[in-house]
Amino acid sequence: MRIRPYQQKDLDSLCAIHAAQGFDYPLPDLNHPLFVTKLVLSDGDADSEVGDKNAEHDRAGNGESSHSSEQILGAVLLRLTAEAYLLLDPRTGTPRQRWQSLLALHAAAERNAWRSGLEDVHAWLPPSIAAKFGERIAGLGWVRDDTWSPYCKRLQAPK
């Protein structure tokens, strides 16, 4: 097995794998710049690893894999997203003033995130405010998505 960077010629294989999985979401646009990791697993030789020049270019240097008959077994794709944090002093102003402050921050953050190329923003609400505050932000277009179960991988520097 071999892990190498994704190449455009892998798209048909990845579309077929995505369809075979049967998940109810479209295959994302792999050319979008928010995809910062695109690695393909193939049945090719294990002599090339990610970062190896042979993984990206064949001996002719044309950018195509030197393993033209390899079968794509899978891929991992990492897309940047954003996590929202709201810091708003609960000791300042009236509830109405704090709501107005939140609305101003919300609009500014949404514009800034869109201009930065982000497609979504996520917020994890503490249980103590989730019900009431969740209703408030739902009015601003936030959606509680319990369809998928979130998991988090805490990364550590390699040893």
Side-chain angles (χ1 to χ4, degrees), residues 1-4 40-50 52 54-55 59 65-71 73:
M1 290 195 305
R2 176 177 163 218
I3 296 176
R4 61 166 176 76
V40 172
L41 174 67
S42 75
D43 66 353
D45 295 334
D47 61 349
S48 296
E49 297 293 327
V50 173
D52 185 339
N54 289 333
R59 294 179 196 350
S65 171
S66 59
H67 299 280
S68 59
S69 64
E70 70 182 344
Q71 179 183 357
L73 305 173

Coordinates of all heavy atoms in Angstrom, one line a residue, residues 1-4 40-50 52 54-55 59 65-71 73:
M1 N 0.8 -1.2 0.0 CA 0.0 0.0 0.0 C 0.9 1.2 0.0 O 2.0 1.2 0.5 CB -0.9 0.0 1.2 CG -2.0 -1.0 1.1 SD -3.4 -0.8 2.3 CE -2.6 -0.7 3.8
R2 N 0.3 2.3 -0.5 CA 1.1 3.5 -0.7 C 0.1 4.7 -0.4 O -1.0 4.7 -0.8 CB 1.6 3.6 -2.1 CG 2.3 4.8 -2.5 CD 2.8 4.7 -3.9 NE 3.1 6.0 -4.4 CZ 2.8 6.5 -5.6 NH1 2.3 5.7 -6.5 NH2 3.1 7.7 -6.0
I3 N 0.6 5.7 0.4 CA -0.1 6.9 0.6 C 0.7 8.0 -0.2 O 1.9 8.2 0.0 CB -0.2 7.3 2.1 CG1 -1.0 6.2 2.8 CG2 -0.8 8.7 2.3 CD1 -1.1 6.4 4.3
R4 N -0.1 8.8 -1.0 CA 0.5 9.9 -1.8 C -0.4 11.0 -1.8 O -1.6 10.9 -1.5 CB 0.9 9.3 -3.1 CG -0.3 8.9 -3.9 CD 0.0 8.7 -5.4 NE -1.1 8.1 -6.1 CZ -2.2 8.8 -6.5 NH1 -2.3 10.1 -6.2 NH2 -3.1 8.2 -7.2
V40 N -4.2 10.1 -0.7 CA -4.8 9.0 -1.4 C -4.1 7.7 -0.9 O -2.8 7.7 -0.9 CB -4.8 9.2 -2.9 CG1 -5.2 7.9 -3.6 CG2 -5.6 10.4 -3.3
L41 N -4.8 6.7 -0.6 CA -4.3 5.4 -0.3 C -4.5 4.5 -1.6 O -5.6 4.4 -2.1 CB -5.0 4.8 0.9 CG -4.7 3.3 1.2 CD1 -3.2 3.2 1.7 CD2 -5.6 2.8 2.3
S42 N -3.4 3.9 -2.1 CA -3.6 3.1 -3.2 C -2.9 1.7 -3.0 O -2.2 1.5 -2.0 CB -2.9 3.7 -4.5 OG -1.5 3.7 -4.4
D43 N -3.1 0.8 -3.9 CA -2.4 -0.5 -3.8 C -1.0 -0.5 -4.4 O -0.4 -1.5 -4.6 CB -3.3 -1.6 -4.4 CG -3.4 -1.4 -5.9 OD1 -3.0 -0.4 -6.5 OD2 -4.0 -2.3 -6.6
G44 N -0.5 0.7 -4.7 CA 0.8 0.8 -5.2 C 1.9 0.4 -4.3 O 1.7 0.0 -3.1
D45 N 3.2 0.5 -4.8 CA 4.3 0.1 -4.0 C 4.4 1.0 -2.7 O 4.2 2.2 -2.8 CB 5.6 0.3 -4.8 CG 5.6 -0.7 -6.0 OD1 5.0 -1.7 -5.9 OD2 6.3 -0.3 -7.0
A46 N 4.9 0.4 -1.7 CA 5.1 1.1 -0.4 C 6.4 1.9 -0.3 O 6.7 2.5 0.7 CB 5.0 0.1 0.8
D47 N 7.1 1.9 -1.4 CA 8.4 2.6 -1.4 C 8.3 4.1 -1.5 O 9.2 4.8 -1.2 CB 9.3 2.1 -2.5 CG 8.8 2.4 -3.9 OD1 7.6 2.8 -4.0 OD2 9.5 2.2 -4.9
S48 N 7.1 4.6 -1.8 CA 6.9 6.1 -1.8 C 6.0 6.5 -0.7 O 4.9 5.9 -0.6 CB 6.3 6.5 -3.2 OG 7.2 6.2 -4.2
E49 N 6.4 7.4 0.1 CA 5.6 7.9 1.2 C 5.3 9.4 0.9 O 5.8 10.0 0.0 CB 6.4 7.9 2.5 CG 6.8 6.5 2.9 CD 5.5 5.7 3.3 OE1 4.6 6.2 3.8 OE2 5.6 4.5 3.1
V50 N 4.4 9.9 1.6 CA 4.0 11.3 1.5 C 5.3 12.2 1.7 O 6.0 12.0 2.6 CB 2.9 11.7 2.5 CG1 2.7 13.2 2.5 CG2 1.7 10.9 2.3
D52 N 7.7 12.2 -0.4 CA 8.7 11.6 -1.4 C 8.5 12.2 -2.7 O 7.3 12.2 -3.2 CB 8.6 10.1 -1.4 CG 9.6 9.4 -2.2 OD1 10.3 10.0 -3.1 OD2 9.9 8.2 -1.9
N54 N 8.9 11.0 -5.6 CA 8.3 10.0 -6.5 C 6.8 9.9 -6.2 O 6.0 9.5 -7.1 CB 8.9 8.6 -6.3 CG 10.3 8.6 -6.8 OD1 10.6 9.3 -7.7 ND2 11.1 7.7 -6.3
A55 N 6.3 10.4 -5.1 CA 4.9 10.4 -4.8 C 4.1 11.4 -5.6 O 3.0 11.3 -5.9 CB 4.6 10.6 -3.3
R59 N 9.5 9.8 -13.0 CA 10.9 10.1 -13.4 C 10.9 11.1 -14.5 O 11.9 11.8 -14.7 CB 11.6 8.8 -13.7 CG 11.7 7.9 -12.5 CD 12.4 6.6 -12.8 NE 12.3 5.6 -11.8 CZ 11.9 5.6 -10.6 NH1 11.4 6.7 -10.0 NH2 11.9 4.6 -9.8
S65 N 1.5 10.1 -11.6 CA 2.1 9.0 -10.8 C 2.7 8.0 -11.7 O 2.3 7.8 -12.8 CB 0.9 8.4 -10.0 OG 1.4 7.2 -9.4
S66 N 3.8 7.5 -11.2 CA 4.5 6.5 -12.0 C 3.8 5.1 -12.0 O 4.2 4.2 -12.6 CB 6.0 6.3 -11.5 OG 6.0 6.0 -10.2
H67 N 2.7 5.0 -11.2 CA 2.0 3.8 -11.0 C 0.6 4.0 -11.7 O -0.4 4.2 -11.1 CB 1.8 3.4 -9.5 CG 3.1 3.2 -8.8 ND1 3.8 2.1 -8.9 CD2 3.8 4.1 -8.1 CE1 4.9 2.2 -8.2 NE2 4.9 3.4 -7.7
S68 N 0.6 3.9 -13.0 CA -0.7 4.2 -13.8 C -1.7 3.1 -13.6 O -2.9 3.4 -13.8 CB -0.3 4.3 -15.3 OG 0.2 3.1 -15.7
S69 N -1.4 1.9 -13.1 CA -2.4 0.9 -12.9 C -2.8 0.7 -11.5 O -3.4 -0.2 -11.1 CB -1.9 -0.4 -13.5 OG -0.7 -0.9 -12.7
E70 N -2.4 1.7 -10.6 CA -2.7 1.5 -9.2 C -4.2 1.7 -9.0 O -4.9 2.3 -9.7 CB -2.0 2.6 -8.4 CG -2.5 4.0 -8.6 CD -1.7 5.0 -7.8 OE1 -0.9 4.7 -6.9 OE2 -1.8 6.2 -8.1
Q71 N -4.7 1.0 -8.0 CA -6.1 1.1 -7.6 C -6.2 2.0 -6.4 O -5.5 1.8 -5.4 CB -6.7 -0.3 -7.3 CG -8.1 -0.2 -6.9 CD -8.7 -1.6 -6.5 OE1 -8.0 -2.6 -6.6 NE2 -9.9 -1.6 -6.0
L73 N -7.7 3.0 -3.1 CA -8.5 2.2 -2.0 C -9.2 3.2 -1.1 O -10.2 2.8 -0.4 CB -7.5 1.4 -1.2 CG -6.6 0.4 -2.0 CD1 -5.6 -0.2 -1.1 CD2 -7.5 -0.6 -2.7

